[in-house]
Amino acid sequence: MSDSLLQLIDRYRNKDRRALSRLLTLAARGEHLSEILAAASVPQSKRIPVVTLTGSAGVGKSTLTGKLIELLRRKDKRVAVLACDPQSPLSGGALLGDRFRMPTTPDEGVFIRSLSSAGGRGAIAEHLPVLLKLLAGFGFDVILLETVGAGQGDTVVRDIADVVVFLVQPETGDDLQWEKAGLLEVCDIVVIHKSDLPGAEHAEAQLRSMLELSSGPIPVILRVSSKTGSGMEELWQAIERAADSEHVRRDAGRELLRQVQEFLSARFVQLEEDAALQQLVADWKAGEVDLNDAARRLVDLLLTAGANPRSSP
């Protein structure tokens, strides 16, 4: 590991926000993932809930995220936000379209980071498990993950978050028909946002009748207005209950598996030019080792891979 990366990790462990930002940038690029994962340790006794806010474009995800931040800060909770924005076709970076709707007053208890999300990635950015662990290891109490405008196929958020909050709005009409087959089946809470507008009661009735036909668990349905503030406290209480529910505990094993996959993938990048890996591949192709033995030897190589990063921060 290079001295500059060691210094960066040391600053991160001493709660340097600039170091956190730099490590998030490296992880988002897929650089030094194994070293970053090792540095971002979280006490086993402390569970940091990850709450995803998702829904179609224009439903008010950023506005609601901003209101949740305000509510959580009044409760003295430190909040981190990862906002997945559409990827710029020119720079490849995030288009910061709605970030102005979140708090801009300096606050050491709030950290907001925008990430670019390329098409076909389920409305989220790459390497999110590593980014989330970095934030959890920094000491935040709650992590909010805002997706790009999402549709029925964007259910990968269930594998990332502890709690999925799906936003719809009044007068959505037939849009609910195509959304019901996707996000409605994996979310924990449905928020009828902008509930101060006409049609909120009808949207709730439509949702309830639709979900009664489902064979799966029925999510909590709440009417919330960021404009008036109504329903915000009820929303947070529902999030807390969902975060403590049985399905979150069942998902802990899947979360561990995802982090192990990220760790091994990062080590494999380091090994791509390694002579030992090339010899293993040659032995396997020649039939000198079977697949089981090759897998065991590959895992050994990954676990003992040198920690010399290919590039420095």
Side-chain angles (χ1 to χ4, degrees), residues 14-311:
N14 284 290
K15 309 306 179 189
D16 184 322
R17 289 167 71 97
R18 290 187 178 181
L20 169 62
S21 294
R22 182 60 179 150
L23 287 176
L24 286 169
T25 298
L26 292 173
R29 293 175 182 168
E31 300 176 21
H32 311 297
L33 294 180
S34 58
E35 295 92 338
I36 290 171
L37 270 173
S41 60
V42 183
Q44 291 293 323
S45 59
K46 186 172 183 180
R47 183 174 183 84
I48 316 298
V50 177
V51 181
T52 288
L53 289 93
T54 189
S56 58
V59 77
K61 296 185 294 294
S62 292
T63 303
L64 185 62
T65 299
K67 293 299 180 182
L68 266 178
I69 292 171
E70 293 174 5
L71 175 68
L72 292 170
R73 290 304 291 141
R74 290 197 295 271
K75 297 178 181 295
D76 201 30
K77 293 186 180 293
R78 302 182 72 228
V79 188
V81 179
L82 285 179
C84 299
D85 286 298
Q87 188 178 67
S88 167
L90 299 179
S91 68
L95 293 171
L96 312 182
D98 285 337
R99 221 53 347 100
F100 68 89
R101 291 190 175 96
M102 294 186 191
T104 56
T105 304
D107 182 349
E108 286 298 310
V110 178
F111 181 90
I112 300 173
R113 177 64 178 261
S114 291
L115 299 166
S116 64
S117 177
R121 302 198 187 280
I124 57 175
E126 288 189 282
H127 308 300
L128 263 178
V130 181
L131 306 179
L132 294 172
K133 190 173 181 184
L134 268 173
L135 293 170
F138 200 76
F140 292 102
D141 300 307
V142 182
I143 301 172
L144 303 179
L145 172 62
E146 180 193 330
T147 73
V148 178
Q152 89 175 51
D154 296 321
T155 56
V156 69
V157 292
R158 174 73 278 165
D159 296 330
I160 297 292
D162 298 309
V163 182
V164 178
V165 180
F166 179 36
L167 277 66
V168 299
Q169 62 185 9
E171 307 299 338
T172 305
D174 290 340
D175 286 351
L176 289 177
Q177 298 303 316
W178 59 262
E179 288 171 342
K180 71 178 179 180
L183 285 165
L184 282 175
E185 293 182 354
V186 301
C187 68
D188 303 287
I189 302 165
V190 179
V191 166
I192 301 171
H193 197 213
K194 307 178 185 179
S195 63
D196 53 294
L197 298 176
E201 186 175 346
H202 173 71
E204 181 178 354
Q206 183 185 16
L207 272 168
R208 291 191 183 281
S209 63
M210 180 190 302
L211 289 167
E212 284 174 1
L213 301 175
S214 171
S215 59
I218 297 177
V220 175
I221 301 175
L222 297 171
R223 282 190 250 169
V224 177
S225 171
S226 292
K227 182 177 180 180
T228 67
S230 65
M232 290 299 304
E233 185 63 44
E234 291 81 358
L235 172 58
W236 176 244
Q237 290 173 6
I239 289 172
E240 286 189 306
R241 287 193 297 271
D244 291 332
S245 68
E246 182 180 350
H247 87 267
V248 168
R249 292 191 291 272
R250 287 200 306 267
D251 284 348
R254 295 168 67 189
E255 178 184 351
L256 174 60
L257 179 59
R258 288 192 300 272
Q259 294 195 6
V260 169
Q261 288 172 331
E262 288 277 355
F263 176 82
L264 293 179
S265 295
R267 287 295 178 91
F268 188 82
V269 170
Q270 296 175 12
L271 274 174
E272 281 180 319
E273 306 299 329
D274 190 271
L277 176 61
Q278 293 175 6
Q279 183 61 54
L280 173 58
V281 172
D283 291 346
W284 175 68
K285 286 184 175 180
E288 296 179 11
V289 294
D290 63 20
L291 187 58
N292 285 337
D293 287 337
R296 292 189 189 97
R297 285 173 57 182
L298 176 59
V299 170
D300 288 340
L301 285 173
L302 290 169
L303 292 176
T304 58
N308 294 319
R310 297 179 117 192
S311 58

